[in-house]
Amino acid sequence: LYQERVHKESHRELIIYNSLSNDSFFNELMVKYQPILDMNTQSIYCADAIISWMNPDVGQISLEDLLQHADKHRKLNKITEF
């Protein structure tokens, strides 16, 4: 069970690494906007932009994982530009 879990995690890491090596992964990124409300006026006063990555082989990759891997593979600046 432990070896199977480690194998799955290693395989996932390899897929993410290979995807980040190819700039076409930018086509898999999406920006979602989360409104921020002013509770006094009940109106939206700004929005947070949240990036997400839907990899066809791995599925949804959390923002935390995306940033960690992007930093490791020197793609963070390109993602910021996105």
Side-chain angles (χ1 to χ4, degrees):
L1 224 136
Y2 173 77
Q3 287 181 343
E4 183 179 326
R5 185 175 58 83
V6 170
H7 175 72
K8 284 182 180 180
E9 288 175 12
S10 296
H11 183 68
R12 181 178 184 274
E13 295 287 322
L14 181 62
I15 290 171
I16 292 171
Y17 173 78
N18 286 337
S19 296
L20 284 172
S21 298
N22 183 348
D23 280 350
S24 66
F25 88 95
F26 286 104
N27 297 329
E28 300 164 359
L29 296 179
M30 294 185 331
V31 177
K32 298 176 184 176
Y33 296 95
Q34 179 175 339
I36 308 296
L37 297 175
D38 180 329
M39 297 306 289
N40 294 324
T41 63
Q42 296 295 308
S43 61
I44 297 172
Y45 70 91
C46 69
D48 283 340
I50 302 169
I51 194 166
S52 80
W53 181 12
M54 180 57 82
N55 181 281
D57 298 316
V58 179
Q60 184 73 34
I61 297 172
S62 72
L63 178 60
E64 181 181 343
D65 281 349
L66 171 59
L67 295 178
Q68 179 184 5
H69 289 289
D71 186 38
K72 191 186 309 182
H73 301 295
R74 301 182 186 271
K75 296 280 187 176
L76 209 48
N77 287 342
K78 285 190 169 196
I79 290 173
T80 302
E81 292 171 9
F82 173 79

